[in-house]
Amino acid sequence: MKMRPGGPMIGPWPNISFGWRPSAVESLDRCRLPPKGSFEFVWLGIEVIQNLKPSSTMLTGAMILPVLMTLTFPSSSCEDEEPKLNAGLFNCVCEGMSCGGVDQCVGQQCFASLSINDGHPVYQKGCFQVYEQSKLTCKTPPSADQTVECCHGNLCNMNITAQLPPKDKSQQGTALSYSVRTLAIVVIAPVIVLIVVSMVTVLILRKFHQNQMQRLNAREVEYGAIDGLIASNVGDSTLADLLDHSCTSGSGSGLPFLIQRTVARQITLVECVGKGRFGEVWRGQWQGENVAVKIFSSRDEKSWFRETEIYNSVLLRNENILGFIASDMTSRNSSTQLWLITHYHEAGSLYDYLQHTTLDAVGCLRVSLSIASGLTHLHTEIIGTQGKVAIAHRDLKSKNILVKENGQCCIADLGLAVMHSQCTNHLDVGNNSRVGTKRYMAPEVLDETIQVNLFDSYRRVDIWAFGLVLWEVARRTVSNGIVEDYKPPFYDLVPNDPGFDDMKKVICVDQQRPNIPNRWFSDPTLTSLAKVMKECWYHNPSARLTALRIRKTLTKIDNSFDKLKMDC
């Protein structure tokens, strides 16, 4: 396309002119139109269109209308524009393809521009004829591929060379380097900190483990237990021997940790003898002796941990507390199992025993007195080097009491137990969220009035449950040839699996208690036991008997019965 000198510029600013003087019609004195009628303005508009240039005949009717509107309604800024148009014209240097061989042009403002065309810089210089054009172009901020610099004065653009702003590229590189550096710091710093913390933790754990092993080795070497255990053949070393020669003092405290793990790995499971919500109970064998292996389910891990903690930290040597041997976390059948190894009692739980066995007065007193003795041992704190803290069971029931070969009983399952020391006045409740058996819950537990920060409150809860167990035993005691079938407490008042609200209504609202059969009052032993039960079932916890008082009362009843037999 051919351009006349000073014609429109080819490039990013198509309306920039290079020295093109407007014709008389183009200037038109637009802002000083004569005060003629609208009709004359229309003809004047047509005259303007005809005088533009020959190629303007291509204008359509649609293009004529805006021109006429402009002529009829002049711009409100015309009065301000007139002085700016005539304020002064300057000679400007004209360089570039659009200058048509002319080196100067005349306009209201001079400029120098630089644009990037197909990757090559294109430098141009010229002038602006229209004020709005210069104002718009000169105030346009530079971009990455074009820029323009404007000035006022004759030949003011002669020494001006437009420059593209370099800061975009540098800022991009700076931002890129900054983002990479920041990303590296954000990623690497936590990794380094984690590695350092992990190394410190591993070193501390290794040091702790070494100290523990040294302490255990020193203790085991002193007592010669490890060598005797590893080298022994079947029958050479019994559990009783190990317990007697261990550094602990009794069946309740079990064996030292290292021996516990060794014993657990030498046990062979023989048969499953019971299942419950906690897991399973197996009869196992170690060195030819029967042991009970209680395998906890994964959801009852806290009970296993709590029972292990109590057995290993408290000296529980007592014939009426289930003898603890070992505890271990082992892997069987590609799964982790939590083992608690105790003495094995073939008769099973008191619950199972009473289902198919009846008792006479002697057997009833033997069972009752042994349970009371075990509960007294738990509740009593023994101060001294061979002492123990006071313990409340919190889940006493016939299923958690085992029957021994001699007819006595021992208390098991300390997974919910609470410990208390008078010396430090510290109450250790543990963190097990499991609650006791609802059927055996005391009124203060059901109506949530129990004082959870008072250790005596937990002991009194055990006394309530003991009274219910005593009722179960008495029902299976024969007197005058009569005996009732085994039934759990409140069997006639609540469903087989009672809910919390069921028990609360029966015990707290209706204040019901287990029924005492009339035949008991014809037997002196059962009459005395019925009196003890009632004193265990007081709604007011502080009015209930203590375990020690119950044991003394039962001992007195037992002695009276022996004296009566001797007199007969």
Side-chain angles (χ1 to χ4, degrees), residues 69-90:
M69 293 296 294
T70 304
L71 293 171
T72 307
F73 303 101
S75 172
S76 61
S77 63
C78 287
E79 294 181 358
D80 296 335
E81 188 175 325
E82 179 186 358
K84 295 176 183 176
L85 290 172
N86 298 324
L89 299 177
F90 304 102

Side-chain angles (χ1 to χ4, degrees), residues 21 91 105 161 191 195 197 218 430 452 457 459 472 482 512 525 531 536 542:
R21 293 175 177 272
N91 291 323
C105 63
T161 302
V191 174
I195 292 175
V197 172
V452 294
S457 300
R459 287 198 284 206
E472 294 177 75
I482 304 173
Q512 297 277 0
T525 302
K531 182 179 179 181
C536 294
S542 59

Side-chain angles (χ1 to χ4, degrees), residues 201-403:
T201 304
V202 170
L203 291 176
I204 293 175
L205 291 176
R206 286 188 61 184
K207 186 66 176 176
F208 176 78
H209 180 68
Q210 290 175 357
N211 292 339
Q212 186 179 26
M213 291 302 297
Q214 290 176 359
R215 185 170 61 254
L216 286 173
N217 289 338
R219 292 166 62 185
E220 301 305 338
V221 168
E222 179 181 356
Y223 290 94
I226 295 180
D227 295 337
L229 178 63
I230 296 176
S232 63
N233 295 321
V234 176
D236 290 348
S237 181
T238 64
L239 286 173
D241 295 335
L242 288 176
L243 292 170
D244 289 340
H245 292 89
S246 68
C247 57
T248 61
S249 65
S251 59
S253 299
L255 300 167
F257 293 109
L258 189 58
I259 301 183
Q260 288 185 29
R261 297 181 65 88
T262 306
V263 169
R265 281 155 175 73
Q266 294 179 352
I267 288 177
T268 301
L269 299 180
V270 178
E271 62 175 336
C272 180
V273 295
K275 291 184 179 181
R277 62 180 180 179
F278 60 85
E280 300 176 345
V281 176
W282 285 71
R283 178 174 68 87
Q285 282 197 334
W286 181 83
Q287 304 287 42
E289 296 184 56
N290 286 329
V291 293
V293 181
K294 187 176 180 180
I295 303 177
F296 288 79
S297 61
S298 57
R299 66 179 180 179
D300 213 21
E301 178 182 355
K302 291 183 179 180
S303 294
W304 171 83
F305 182 82
R306 182 62 170 173
E307 199 160 358
T308 299
E309 178 187 22
I310 291 177
Y311 274 128
N312 282 312
S313 60
V314 179
L315 302 180
L316 290 178
R317 175 187 285 274
N318 187 274
E319 61 179 351
N320 301 125
I321 305 295
L322 178 61
F324 171 75
I325 299 173
S327 177
D328 190 22
M329 184 181 298
T330 183
S331 179
R332 297 289 176 98
N333 299 325
S334 301
S335 63
T336 301
Q337 294 183 350
L338 308 174
W339 282 19
L340 190 73
I341 304 165
T342 64
H343 290 172
Y344 178 74
H345 299 290
E346 188 174 359
S349 68
L350 180 62
Y351 174 84
D352 295 328
Y353 183 77
L354 294 177
Q355 301 278 345
H356 54 77
T357 305
T358 59
L359 304 171
D360 56 13
V362 176
C364 174
L365 287 173
R366 183 182 296 114
V367 168
S368 303
L369 185 56
S370 61
I371 298 173
S373 298
L375 191 60
T376 301
H377 181 73
L378 285 178
H379 285 188
T380 305
E381 179 176 359
I382 302 175
I383 301 175
T385 55
Q386 300 296 322
K388 59 172 282 293
V389 297
I391 300 174
H393 192 282
R394 291 182 67 198
D395 194 21
L396 189 66
K397 57 183 178 179
S398 56
K399 289 185 178 181
N400 288 338
I401 298 172
L402 302 179
V403 180

